[in-house]
Amino acid sequence: MQQDHTPALEWELETLAIRAGHQRTHEQEHGEPIFTTSSFVYGSAAEAAAKFSGEEPGNIYSRFTNPTVRTFEQRLAAMEGGERCVATSSGMAAIMATALALLSSGDEIVASRSLFGSTVSLFDKYLGKFGITTRYVELSNLEAWEEAIGPATALLFAETPSNPLSEVVDIAALARIAHRHDALLAIDNCFLTPALQRPLALGADLVIHSATKYLDGQGRAIGGAVVGRDKELEEVFGVVRTCGPCLSPFNAWIFTKGLETLHLRMRAHCDNARILAEWLEGHPAVARVHYSGLDGHPQHELASRQQQGFGAVLGFELKGGLEAAWSVIDATRMISITGNLGDVKTTITHPGTTTHGRLSEEQKDAAGITEGLIRVAVGLEAMEDIRADLARGLDALV
């Protein structure tokens, strides 16, 4: 009787994305089932006691043990090259669970100043009230990271490439800095996914995902994940088990199916994004394009070395500031005006008033969020249609 087992180490990413994690039930299903159940039953009181105590493996309660969620976790862990994955209800829940699990009052975080706005709010407003402080540095400046680390630093946190300026940091070098100071390094790999970048192989300790984005790929569900060593992930699992920011089985199933086509989608996203970035770079209304796939990007060589692609998120600045940015966005007829990204549908937003709108003006300036900045997450529509939709507003500015 044929069974799917934990994958052999020689399997390639494309195979892991399709085969890893699924243990067929007695029904011998070919597709992954959805276990939409809140609880599980036992053959005896002794069996229940053994599973609740951890003496025997098995399902207890879907807040922290569900077969569908476990399939997603095992598949993503295999793709990232991690020992374990813990799924969460959102990408922000993944960051929160990591912080609650691994930090204590008095600890410090050193983080890139180029972070998603909600991550900054989590660090400053909520972790701050419990005595965890955060220092922010320029993402690509390794000397600044080194100088910001103090005796209480327990965690270094970075998005690379960053949102929305496509800045990049040398992950291997940053990992060496973190470990020299006995700190952990967490990398938000949301923009590239394991199809294009594997931070653990470069020395990072933890990988954070908003599965809502490219892991799903079609904007259908909210979820997150943390991947790393079993030692740290057992603590993250404890937070999910006790505090409850868990992933629903249905969303886990959606993400599992999304992983199957991840490598194909990411290649197509990258192809479209590179074409669009080059076109925008030559448009007279555009002052600057931020995309690490462009030869002129300051970290292009580094991105080429540590990534297998440049992703699909780019930013571009208009000479006319806020008024020009809003007019270009409002002129679109096909592209979706939304703060989300990672979708087969191209999306557009004004970061300064949406995704980063809650930051102070000083924080925006430090992060390079200007009034004329537009972020586009390039989808999989025909490039001719994407360009035509943006040209409608851009051409009106010149």
Side-chain angles (χ1 to χ4, degrees), residues 129-260:
K129 70 167 62 176
F130 296 107
I132 298 169
T133 57
T134 303
R135 304 171 189 264
Y136 295 96
V137 298
E138 182 182 353
L139 175 62
S140 61
N141 189 339
L142 294 174
E143 291 183 2
W145 286 94
E146 184 91 53
E147 293 173 359
I149 295 174
T153 301
L155 178 68
L156 274 60
F157 189 97
E159 295 175 13
T160 181
S162 68
N163 176 17
L165 300 184
S166 198
E167 296 174 287
V168 178
V169 70
D170 188 327
I171 296 174
L174 191 58
R176 290 192 292 270
I177 292 172
H179 299 156
R180 189 160 59 246
H181 294 276
D182 297 321
L184 297 171
L185 172 62
I187 296 294
D188 187 325
N189 201 27
C190 171
F191 277 21
L192 293 185
T193 80
L196 301 179
Q197 178 173 265
R198 301 181 79 193
L200 298 179
L202 296 171
D205 302 288
L206 299 159
V207 172
I208 306 291
H209 278 287
S210 171
T212 311
K213 310 303 191 294
Y214 292 104
L215 299 189
D216 172 16
Q218 296 187 48
R220 298 168 294 188
I222 302 290
V226 187
V227 185
R229 293 182 295 262
D230 186 71
K231 176 184 176 182
E232 286 82 21
L233 269 293
E234 179 63 24
E235 297 300 319
V236 177
F237 171 73
V239 173
V240 173
R241 174 173 182 156
T242 303
C243 302
C246 56
L247 182 64
S248 79
F250 184 75
N251 287 7
W253 180 82
I254 287 176
F255 298 143
T256 299
K257 304 309 289 183
L259 292 177
E260 294 178 351

Side-chain angles (χ1 to χ4, degrees), residues 34-376:
I34 309 175
F35 287 88
T36 54
T37 179
S38 58
S39 61
F40 303 86
V41 297
Y42 311 101
S44 67
E47 181 189 354
K51 288 183 177 177
F52 269 75
S53 68
E55 293 177 13
E56 292 182 8
N59 300 310
I60 299 172
Y61 190 56
S62 275
R63 187 176 73 241
F64 55 97
T65 52
N66 179 277
T68 310
V69 176
R70 184 164 59 247
T71 295
F72 167 65
E73 291 173 332
Q74 291 179 350
R75 186 166 295 183
L76 183 58
M79 293 174 69
E80 284 284 8
E83 294 178 0
R84 186 174 179 182
C85 170
V86 173
T88 60
S89 57
S90 68
M92 290 308 304
I95 300 173
M96 180 192 71
T98 299
L100 291 178
L102 303 177
L103 300 176
S104 301
S105 180
D107 284 345
E108 292 181 351
I109 302 169
V110 177
S112 161
R113 67 188 184 191
S114 303
L115 292 179
F116 177 49
S118 291
T119 305
V120 175
S121 296
L122 171 64
F123 286 172
D124 291 350
K125 184 175 181 180
Y126 296 103
L127 296 185
K129 70 167 62 176
F130 296 107
I132 298 169
T133 57
T134 303
R135 304 171 189 264
Y136 295 96
V137 298
E138 182 182 353
L139 175 62
S140 61
N141 189 339
L142 294 174
E143 291 183 2
W145 286 94
E146 184 91 53
E147 293 173 359
I149 295 174
T153 301
L155 178 68
L156 274 60
F157 189 97
E159 295 175 13
T160 181
S162 68
N163 176 17
L165 300 184
S166 198
E167 296 174 287
V168 178
V169 70
D170 188 327
I171 296 174
L174 191 58
R176 290 192 292 270
I177 292 172
H179 299 156
R180 189 160 59 246
H181 294 276
D182 297 321
L184 297 171
L185 172 62
I187 296 294
D188 187 325
N189 201 27
C190 171
F191 277 21
L192 293 185
T193 80
L196 301 179
Q197 178 173 265
R198 301 181 79 193
L200 298 179
L202 296 171
D205 302 288
L206 299 159
V207 172
I208 306 291
H209 278 287
S210 171
T212 311
K213 310 303 191 294
Y214 292 104
L215 299 189
D216 172 16
Q218 296 187 48
R220 298 168 294 188
I222 302 290
V226 187
V227 185
R229 293 182 295 262
D230 186 71
K231 176 184 176 182
E232 286 82 21
L233 269 293
E234 179 63 24
E235 297 300 319
V236 177
F237 171 73
V239 173
V240 173
R241 174 173 182 156
T242 303
C243 302
C246 56
L247 182 64
S248 79
F250 184 75
N251 287 7
W253 180 82
I254 287 176
F255 298 143
T256 299
K257 304 309 289 183
L259 292 177
E260 294 178 351
T261 60
L262 179 64
H263 64 289
L264 296 173
R265 288 186 285 103
M266 294 309 294
R267 291 172 189 169
H269 278 296
C270 290
D271 290 344
N272 269 2
R274 177 63 185 256
I275 294 170
L276 185 65
E278 291 175 346
W279 175 75
L280 287 168
E281 201 172 33
H283 198 284
V286 176
R288 185 178 181 186
V289 179
H290 302 274
Y291 184 63
S292 63
L294 294 173
D295 294 341
H297 189 279
Q299 289 100 41
H300 175 70
E301 188 276 332
L302 170 61
S304 301
R305 188 171 71 247
Q306 75 178 15
Q307 302 169 192
Q308 288 73 57
F310 302 103
V313 179
L314 59 87
F316 62 96
E317 296 181 51
L318 298 176
K319 300 173 182 178
L322 176 65
E323 182 178 352
W326 279 21
S327 70
V328 169
I329 293 171
D330 290 348
T332 59
R333 296 293 179 266
M334 182 268 290
I335 296 173
S336 304
I337 304 174
T338 177
N340 197 32
L341 57 92
D343 205 311
V344 294
K345 301 180 180 72
T346 298
T347 66
I348 191 169
T349 195
H350 182 253
T353 52
T354 59
T355 58
H356 294 69
R358 297 174 67 186
L359 300 182
S360 68
E361 292 305 314
E362 292 76 15
Q363 288 173 318
K364 291 178 187 177
D365 289 342
I369 308 299
T370 64
E371 288 191 340
L373 179 67
I374 291 175
R375 187 191 74 190
V376 173

